[in-house]
Amino acid sequence: MKPIHRLMTLVTLLLGCLLAPFAQAQLNVEIYGAGADRIPITITHFTGENLLQGGDLTAIVRKDLELTGLFRSIDQGGLQGVENMAPDYAAWRGIGADALLVGSVAQGTGGLVDVRFRLHDVPRAGELLSLKVSVNPNQTRALAHHIANKIYEKLIGQPGIFSTRIAYVEKTGRRYQLKIADFDGENPVPALLSDEPIMSPTWSPDGSKIAYVSFEKKKPIVYVATLATGRRITLANYKGSNSAPAWSPDGSRLALTLTKDGLSQIYVVNADGSGLRRLMSSNGIDTEPQWSPDGGTIYFTSDRGGSPQIYKVGAQGGNAQRVSFSGAYNVTPRISADGKTLVYVSRSNSGFQVTMMDLASQQTQILTESVRDESPSFAPDGRTILYATEVGGRGVLSVVSTDGRTRYRLNNRAGDVREPTWGPFEK
Amino acid sequence: MKKSLIVTATLAALLAACSSTPTAPVQEKAPAQAAAPKSDIAPKPVAVAKTDPFKDADALNKIPLLQKRSIYFDFDSFAIPLDYVSVIEAHSMYLKANANAKVLIQGNTDERGSREYNLALGQKRADAVKNNLKLLGVKEDQVEAVSLGEEKPKATGNDEAAWAENRRADLVYGN
């Protein structure tokens, strides 16, 4: 018995290795606290879904919804979902589903497939949504994210983030790549390749460009790349180092850190690199500027008081005010889209952790249990935070919800990943 | 802890000598400390210009203190530890004796914490070494200070020994 079991394990492992690049992502979503308020939902297999390529449609929709921590997926069991027929609500109630998605895929015109789907409210025995989209049959992943968005918007009442993208830097050997992936880390596409470090990528507010820092000329220089064309401009290449780009909410300017006049200080420049001006002067390090969503305030990290802390200053400069007070190391401020919440990395006895502050009450809360967190980045809906951390000596990307109840790690098949940044809502 | 306080005080005093920032409490101590190592290292007082070992074309490879090209720092600190004052002294003497010599100072940090903050911290470490060299009479155009932040770690381990190795400023001589 035992030897056979071992052999089976070995075979499974080998198969696992061979299939890994093609297998569906193994994602562990940790959910803390009572799950009673999660919406039980059944996403049924669509009839004709074998017409689709490049992913398991229903599995992706389920996973998208589960990642939010707001849904609990209920398997359809022996029940069949038929898109164009009224469901047997009593039967679905029997398996505990509150929401039910049924759908169909049929051959359309011009090589496209027609996808119809309906969302039902099981307890109330009514249809909530009925939609049809025509897509390329190999766009299964994008289609699944679209469907998840529709379900989320209908049931939660807010826009879903499932079609948003993330960017991050992957280091493999001595190679650095800036990669762009779906919000869940799947479907990664390289956007930049360099033999020297790339850091601090950040999306323009319309999602069309990425500003970043590259060491390719042996020192940090800030570039802005347009994603659709691959064209890029040098935003700042002054004497000394150029780094920490941050877009203004209207995309017209960027704040950044330069050492051209000595210490690391914050400057503001037009998006085409013109009109450079210094934001303020201090006698310490000022870096990691970050605009508030209303454009009126710039948050930043400074060691002017003796240890690195978060400060804020008016977008026109002036006197800075300290924002973080507890602990001797608080860096990398990021503001939620509603301007109410600050996240940053705080060092305590347990390590470097993503920490959240309610700006009105100044109450803080540590969101993670890891010890080497870096680069927090809000999802555009402000509900979750993407950050880099380390597991087994390797950089990985994780997501935590602002209520601290949901946490998951993004799939990472190779290399060492860091510097994640969450893009805006798709236009 | 005590040691690092002294070190900070010394550095502050060294800096105070050329800056307008008043750092009163440590002024008395500074001149003695800053001047002392000079006479330790200088081969002989005056009258040895012709045989100045720092002028030797191969001085960088011959003089033990000049072979030391790295200054190590504490976590989140840019204060130069006392152990390295004599190293910086020696390099200042070399640079003064060789007006054409140029040195690039690369500041590094360990890999923990913010990459951007570390880039700025590495710059402060490189600047601290540069400012010390300038205080000792080295010309501005002989020294360039840059930061590599945590991007080019010398030690790749994931422990205090590796981190300590990476909290470093290197003196790199060109031409």
Side-chain angles (χ1 to χ4, degrees):
Chain A
M1 187 64 205
K2 216 170 184 186
I4 291 171
H5 179 256
R6 267 204 196 136
L7 186 65
M8 296 267 294
T9 310
L10 184 64
V11 170
T12 314
L13 280 173
L14 282 171
L15 274 174
C17 292
L18 290 171
L19 296 175
F22 312 103
Q24 195 53 241
Q26 292 294 310
L27 231 135
N28 286 324
V29 187
E30 296 170 46
I31 296 179
Y32 305 88
D37 50 346
R38 284 185 291 146
I39 299 171
I41 187 167
T42 297
I43 310 294
T44 62
H45 284 287
F46 286 21
T47 52
E49 70 179 20
N50 58 336
L51 290 171
L52 297 167
Q53 299 139 28
D56 179 339
L57 179 76
T58 47
I60 300 169
V61 176
R62 282 180 203 146
K63 194 190 82 179
D64 280 5
L65 295 173
E66 284 188 340
L67 289 181
T68 65
L70 300 176
F71 293 87
R72 186 161 51 91
S73 192
I74 305 233
D75 195 86
Q76 69 189 93
L79 297 174
Q80 292 295 316
V82 183
E83 184 265 317
N84 56 1
M85 276 173 63
D88 176 357
Y89 288 111
W92 293 106
R93 226 176 350 249
I95 64 164
D98 276 4
L100 169 70
L101 185 82
V102 292
S104 65
V105 182
Q107 203 63 251
T109 54
L112 301 180
V113 290
D114 295 335
V115 181
R116 294 178 175 81
F117 57 95
R118 293 171 202 261
L119 181 65
H120 294 275
D121 180 333
V122 176
R124 292 195 183 130
E127 187 179 288
L128 292 170
L129 195 69
S130 172
L131 288 168
K132 181 200 152 190
V133 284
S134 295
V135 298
N136 212 304
N138 60 15
Q139 288 178 326
T140 304
R141 189 163 284 284
L143 170 67
H145 294 324
H146 172 77
I147 294 171
N149 277 331
K150 295 297 173 193
I151 297 169
Y152 188 89
E153 282 168 38
K154 195 72 202 174
L155 297 178
I156 306 296
Q158 279 158 18
I161 52 151
F162 311 113
S163 299
T164 62
R165 292 171 299 167
I166 62 168
Y168 56 88
V169 177
E170 181 176 301
K171 185 179 181 224
T172 316
R174 299 182 62 179
R175 252 183 175 195
Y176 298 82
Q177 279 181 287
L178 177 71
K179 286 195 166 173
I180 294 171
D182 289 0
F183 89 102
D184 54 3
E186 295 299 318
N187 196 25
V189 178
L192 287 166
L193 178 65
S194 176
D195 289 333
E196 296 292 335
I198 297 170
M199 59 186 254
S200 305
T202 177
W203 298 83
S204 63
D206 67 0
S208 69
K209 300 184 182 87
I210 287 185
Y212 64 98
V213 177
S214 169
F215 282 69
E216 66 196 56
K217 297 208 171 121
K218 308 295 174 194
K219 69 172 217 171
I221 294 172
V222 182
Y223 298 93
V224 174
T226 301
L227 295 173
T229 62
R231 214 183 130 256
R232 74 169 193 182
I233 62 160
T234 302
L235 186 79
N237 178 11
Y238 293 94
K239 182 171 169 281
S241 81
N242 307 261
S243 67
W247 296 87
S248 64
D250 67 0
S252 68
R253 288 165 297 160
L254 290 99
L256 74 180
T257 302
L258 305 177
T259 62
K260 68 193 262 304
D261 299 316
L263 281 169
S264 299
Q265 296 276 291
I266 297 171
Y267 298 73
V268 176
V269 67
N270 295 331
D272 64 358
S274 68
L276 183 79
R277 69 176 178 86
R278 189 164 171 174
L279 182 65
M280 66 192 147
S281 291
S282 80
N283 58 2
I285 291 171
D286 288 351
T287 189
E288 303 190 301
Q290 190 75 189
W291 247 286
S292 64
D294 67 6
T297 305
I298 291 176
Y299 289 80
F300 61 101
T301 304
S302 178
D303 74 344
R304 59 181 68 191
S307 67
Q309 298 292 343
I310 314 295
Y311 290 76
K312 64 175 180 179
V313 67
Q316 303 303 318
N319 289 328
Q321 283 174 276
R322 187 163 160 176
V323 176
S324 65
F325 289 95
S326 83
Y329 190 100
N330 296 304
V331 297
T332 323
R334 301 287 183 252
I335 310 293
S336 62
D338 64 7
K340 291 178 180 167
T341 309
L342 171 73
V343 298
Y344 53 101
V345 172
S346 184
R347 184 188 195 219
S348 69
N349 289 338
S350 36
F352 298 79
Q353 292 169 305
V354 175
T355 303
M356 184 173 75
M357 181 192 288
D358 175 69
L359 285 168
S361 68
Q362 294 197 321
Q363 253 185 340
T364 64
Q365 186 193 349
I366 296 171
L367 291 178
T368 70
E369 284 162 13
S370 35
V371 298
R372 291 283 305 280
D373 301 347
E374 288 179 19
S375 309
S377 176
F378 268 107
D381 68 352
R383 282 201 69 252
T384 55
I385 297 146
L386 171 68
Y387 60 101
T389 190
E390 206 182 86
V391 175
R394 218 167 60 133
V396 298
L397 305 183
S398 286
V399 173
V400 63
S401 62
T402 50
D403 61 12
R405 284 178 52 187
T406 310
R407 201 158 62 211
Y408 60 92
R409 195 190 302 168
L410 300 191
N411 212 26
N412 179 18
R413 295 188 184 97
D416 192 8
V417 291
R418 72 278 291 274
E419 303 284 276
T421 174
W422 209 315
F425 279 118
E426 71 285 5
K427 292 286 183 258
Chain B
M1 192 62 209
K2 204 172 186 182
K3 188 180 160 197
S4 76
L5 274 179
I6 296 167
V7 168
T8 313
T10 310
L11 181 72
L14 281 169
L15 291 174
C18 77
S19 89
S20 56
T21 321
T23 47
V26 284
Q27 267 171 4
E28 260 183 65
K29 210 173 175 183
Q33 289 236 351
K38 197 167 191 172
S39 54
D40 290 348
I41 295 156
K44 252 163 211 160
V46 231
V48 282
K50 269 190 178 172
T51 55
D52 181 352
F54 287 92
K55 238 183 172 151
D56 186 325
D58 212 21
L60 285 173
N61 298 321
K62 278 186 181 163
I63 299 176
L65 275 176
L66 290 181
Q67 287 169 15
K68 292 190 177 169
R69 309 275 169 86
S70 295
I71 317 289
Y72 292 88
F73 297 83
D74 289 334
F75 178 76
D76 193 30
S77 169
F78 56 93
I80 295 170
L82 273 186
D83 318 12
Y84 296 100
V85 170
S86 58
V87 176
I88 292 176
E89 281 267 347
H91 284 281
S92 78
M93 296 182 75
Y94 174 78
L95 287 162
K96 283 188 285 181
N98 300 276
N100 291 329
K102 285 192 180 358
V103 68
L104 176 68
I105 302 159
Q106 296 175 326
N108 298 275
T109 70
D110 73 34
E111 60 179 351
R112 297 171 299 163
S114 153
R115 286 175 187 275
E116 282 289 354
Y117 179 72
N118 281 340
L119 187 64
L121 180 61
Q123 187 70 42
K124 262 194 162 178
R125 286 178 177 161
D127 285 343
V129 175
K130 175 179 172 172
N131 290 337
N132 268 260
L133 288 172
K134 281 169 67 185
L135 278 176
L136 295 167
V138 176
K139 287 204 226 70
E140 164 85 37
D141 63 5
Q142 284 181 280
V143 197
E144 185 182 358
V146 299
S147 177
L148 301 176
E150 62 173 274
E151 303 304 319
K152 300 272 185 169
K154 190 167 153 191
T156 52
N158 199 2
D159 52 26
E160 179 48 38
W163 297 329
E165 178 65 30
N166 292 333
R167 293 192 295 265
R168 194 184 76 249
D170 290 329
L171 293 109
V172 182
Y173 283 94
N175 33 341

